[in-house]
């Protein structure tokens, strides 16, 4: 997702006492090309994770010529059974309204013109985001161990029928490294004491290593629950259909009434007493056209099954049944001779199969483990996802594990500080250090 300005927005329950999605907020957006010298900017229909959708303008809070302050609600949109109040990002005057109340508009469509006071604060497109006031700390998504269901509930993850969430893979920049010490264990100890120059991290932009120890808030992140997400998409579709059904019932009654009137007039001229009934039925038939297309929703699970590297595909291939998680420290050598370590998570199954993962990011503050190459291009800026997936996928043979004298301290918001032993795994061509650990109760993997 590209960068975009965010502002608080309010949510009003419309039909359902308990909605699947919680508060959203949106801003009016501007377009650099659409701004004239006087500061006339486009007000656009908000977007949801760059997904194209159609929403209903239920009201204009501001009227043409009205002064608008930054943060004031400008108009409201009804979408997926929810009412979203779109607020201005600027101080100015609402110059003109292009799409009146009760208009159906597409995300990204210009709905009004706003003449701002002074220079524009931003020129990026609008995107919906979760309410920033809900973030209680810089690592709230980690410390709270936000599961897939919770991410949907707090608005950071919006299920959209037929579309997968936008996952951002780890950048995993290759560090400067350091001069080898002459001992692999000593190299790892030095790396733990100097993480800034020592690790190619597949934990996205999260700080796993703190003060030579491990941050449990990052280590114990949840895996993205693909099954739960698919079920939520279906549930959202059901709520949307309920709302569409209500509107169709009203429209059907209106069409039937008009059909009866037209049929009555036709009956007078044709002397046909059945014409009113024929007109009424034709009105209802017109309303029902296309109903099956609207109500059809392909099973969202299929979107994940199409990706051979998703959790659902792994489960279907019977390679899952996780037992432990593993943290891998893989010693690497740069072209200049310096040493660094790859830092990546993995699952260990009941059958002793090691499956590499990485941390993916959704929105600005939600992080999940996913299979290493799930849903991303093979060629990433700093690694080949398929090559690394195949390199670290293997069956664990206990005979190839060696003990070391390294112990790592694990600390975080939800655990008492404790120490874990680090082992070395050697089974040609693999040679890496690792630490196994269990996940919090209630986690899927």
């Amino acid at each position: 997702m590209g960068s975009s300005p965010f502002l608080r927005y309010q949510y009003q329950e419309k039909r359902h006492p308990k909605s699947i999605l919680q508060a959203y907020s949106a801003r009016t957006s501007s377009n650099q090309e659409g701004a004239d010298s006087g500061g006339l900017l486009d007000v656009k229909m908000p977007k949801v994770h760059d997904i194209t959708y159609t929403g209903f303008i239920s009201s204009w809070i501001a009227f043409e010529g009205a002064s608008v302050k930054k943060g004031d609600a400008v108009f409201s949109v009804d979408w997926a059974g929810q009412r979203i109040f779109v607020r201005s990002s600027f101080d100015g005057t609402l110059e003109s309204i292009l799409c009146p109340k009760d208009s159906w508009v597409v995300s990204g469509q210009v709905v009004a013109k706003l003449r701002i006071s002074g220079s524009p604060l931003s020129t990026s497109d609008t995107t919906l985001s979760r309410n920033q006031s809900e973030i209680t700390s810089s690592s709230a998504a980690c410390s709270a161990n936000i599961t897939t269901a919770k991410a949907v509930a707090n608005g950071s993850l919006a299920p959209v029928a037929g579309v997968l969430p936008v996952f951002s893979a780890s950048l995993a920049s290759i560090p400067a490294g350091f001069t080898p010490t002459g001992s692999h264990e000593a190299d790892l100890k030095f790396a733990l004491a100097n993480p800034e120059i020592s690790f190619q991290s597949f934990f996205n932009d999260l700080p796993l290593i703190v003060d030579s120890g491990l941050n449990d808030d990052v280590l114990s992140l949840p895996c993205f629950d693909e099954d739960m997400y698919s079920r939520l998409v279906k549930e959202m579709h059901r709520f949307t259909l309920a709302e569409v059904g209500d509107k169709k019932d009203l429209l059907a009654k209106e069409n039937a009434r008009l059909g009866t009137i037209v049929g009555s007039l036709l009956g007078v001229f044709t002397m046909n007493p059945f014409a009113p009934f024929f007109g009424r039925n034709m009105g209802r038939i017109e309303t029902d056209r296309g109903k099956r297309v609207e109500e059809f929703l392909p099973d969202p699970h299929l979107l994940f099954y199409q990706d051979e590297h998703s959790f659902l595909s792994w489960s279907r291939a019977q390679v899952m049944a996780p037992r432990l998680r593993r943290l891998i420290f893989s010693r690497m050598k740069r072209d200049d001779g310096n040493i660094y370590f790859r830092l990546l998570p993995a699952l260990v199954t009941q059958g002793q199969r090691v499956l590499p993962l990485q941390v993916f990011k959704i929105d600005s503050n939600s992080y999940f483990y996913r299979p290493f190459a799930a849903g991303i291009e093979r060629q990433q800026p700093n690694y080949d996802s398929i090559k690394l997936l195949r390199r670290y996928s293997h069956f664990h043979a206990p005979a190839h594990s060696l003990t070391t004298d390294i112990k790592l301290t694990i600390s975080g918001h939800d655990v008492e500080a404790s120490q874990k032993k680090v082992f070395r795994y050697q089974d040609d061509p693999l040679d890496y250090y690792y630490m196994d650990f269990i996940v919090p109760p209630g986690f899927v993997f």
Side-chain angles (χ1 to χ4, degrees), residues 354-423:
V354 179
L355 303 171
L357 312 173
Q358 65 165 302
V359 172
F360 287 80
K361 185 177 183 180
I362 303 177
D363 193 52
S364 59
N365 248 47
S366 295
Y367 299 84
F368 297 92
Y369 286 117
R370 294 200 76 205
F372 194 87
I376 60 175
E377 296 292 331
R378 172 174 181 163
Q379 294 297 334
Q380 295 294 306
N382 298 302
Y383 58 94
D384 184 317
S385 63
I386 300 300
K387 284 185 177 180
L388 292 192
L389 172 67
R390 295 190 64 177
R391 173 170 183 159
Y392 295 104
S393 296
H394 65 282
F395 284 98
H396 176 81
H400 294 281
S401 283
L402 307 172
T403 58
T404 72
D405 63 353
I406 301 176
K407 289 186 178 180
L408 293 176
T409 300
I410 302 176
S411 58
H413 290 87
D414 300 323
V415 296
E416 294 182 345
S418 60
Q419 287 195 328
K420 285 276 190 179
K421 289 195 67 173
V422 174
F423 297 84

Side-chain angles (χ1 to χ4, degrees), residues 169-443:
S170 300
L171 181 60
S173 299
I174 297 176
F178 54 91
T179 303
T181 63
S183 162
H184 286 203
E185 286 192 23
D187 287 343
L188 180 55
K189 290 177 180 178
F190 180 90
L192 291 167
N194 301 275
E196 298 82 6
I197 63 169
S198 305
F199 290 103
Q200 180 188 24
S201 175
F202 289 93
F203 284 84
N204 217 288
D205 54 7
L206 297 175
L208 175 64
I209 299 175
V210 179
D211 297 331
S212 298
L214 301 177
N215 181 0
D216 179 73
D217 300 334
V218 177
L219 199 63
S220 295
L221 285 171
C223 289
F224 184 78
D225 191 338
E226 297 165 355
D227 178 64
M228 174 63 74
Y229 179 84
S230 299
R231 291 171 184 266
L232 289 172
V233 169
K234 287 176 134 181
E235 193 68 9
M236 275 198 64
H237 186 68
R238 186 173 70 83
F239 280 131
T240 302
L241 285 181
E243 186 175 44
V244 170
D246 290 346
K247 291 180 179 178
K248 280 194 173 183
D249 287 344
L250 294 175
L251 184 59
K253 290 179 182 178
E254 180 63 17
N255 285 346
R257 186 181 68 83
L258 294 175
T260 302
I261 294 172
V262 172
S264 298
L265 294 175
L266 184 62
V268 171
F269 290 106
T270 63
M271 304 298 290
N272 183 353
F274 297 104
F277 301 101
F278 177 77
R280 181 181 180 85
N281 290 335
M282 285 301 296
R284 288 189 176 276
I285 290 172
E286 283 298 317
T287 304
D288 288 337
R289 283 187 179 179
K291 183 176 181 181
R292 289 189 177 183
V293 175
E294 267 186 7
E295 293 185 358
F296 177 72
L297 174 69
D299 188 346
H301 292 84
L302 297 177
L303 295 172
F304 293 103
Y305 283 130
Q306 289 173 359
D307 180 5
E308 63 180 318
H309 303 300
S310 68
F311 279 131
L312 285 179
S313 290
W314 281 3
S315 298
R316 189 163 177 260
Q318 299 180 343
V319 298
M320 291 299 288
R323 183 174 63 92
L324 296 168
R325 288 189 189 174
R326 174 167 294 188
L327 179 61
I328 293 175
F329 303 89
S330 182
R331 187 176 181 273
M332 306 299 298
K333 191 174 185 179
R334 288 170 48 102
D335 292 339
D336 60 8
N338 279 358
I339 296 298
Y340 69 95
F341 284 84
R342 280 183 182 147
L343 184 63
L344 66 153
L347 288 178
V348 183
T349 70
Q350 298 286 357
Q352 296 294 309
R353 188 164 185 169
V354 179
L355 303 171
L357 312 173
Q358 65 165 302
V359 172
F360 287 80
K361 185 177 183 180
I362 303 177
D363 193 52
S364 59
N365 248 47
S366 295
Y367 299 84
F368 297 92
Y369 286 117
R370 294 200 76 205
F372 194 87
I376 60 175
E377 296 292 331
R378 172 174 181 163
Q379 294 297 334
Q380 295 294 306
N382 298 302
Y383 58 94
D384 184 317
S385 63
I386 300 300
K387 284 185 177 180
L388 292 192
L389 172 67
R390 295 190 64 177
R391 173 170 183 159
Y392 295 104
S393 296
H394 65 282
F395 284 98
H396 176 81
H400 294 281
S401 283
L402 307 172
T403 58
T404 72
D405 63 353
I406 301 176
K407 289 186 178 180
L408 293 176
T409 300
I410 302 176
S411 58
H413 290 87
D414 300 323
V415 296
E416 294 182 345
S418 60
Q419 287 195 328
K420 285 276 190 179
K421 289 195 67 173
V422 174
F423 297 84
R424 184 175 182 177
Y425 188 80
Q426 289 182 298
D427 186 9
D428 191 52
L430 289 172
D431 185 358
Y432 64 78
Y433 291 87
Y434 73 93
M435 181 199 77
D436 286 343
F437 58 101
I438 60 174
V439 299
F443 276 23

Side-chain angles (χ1 to χ4, degrees), residues 50-70:
D50 297 325
I51 303 304
T52 300
Y53 72 98
T54 301
F56 180 78
I57 296 181
S58 53
S59 67
W60 280 93
I61 292 90
F63 55 88
E64 288 188 357
S67 296
V68 177
K69 296 291 185 182
K70 179 181 177 182

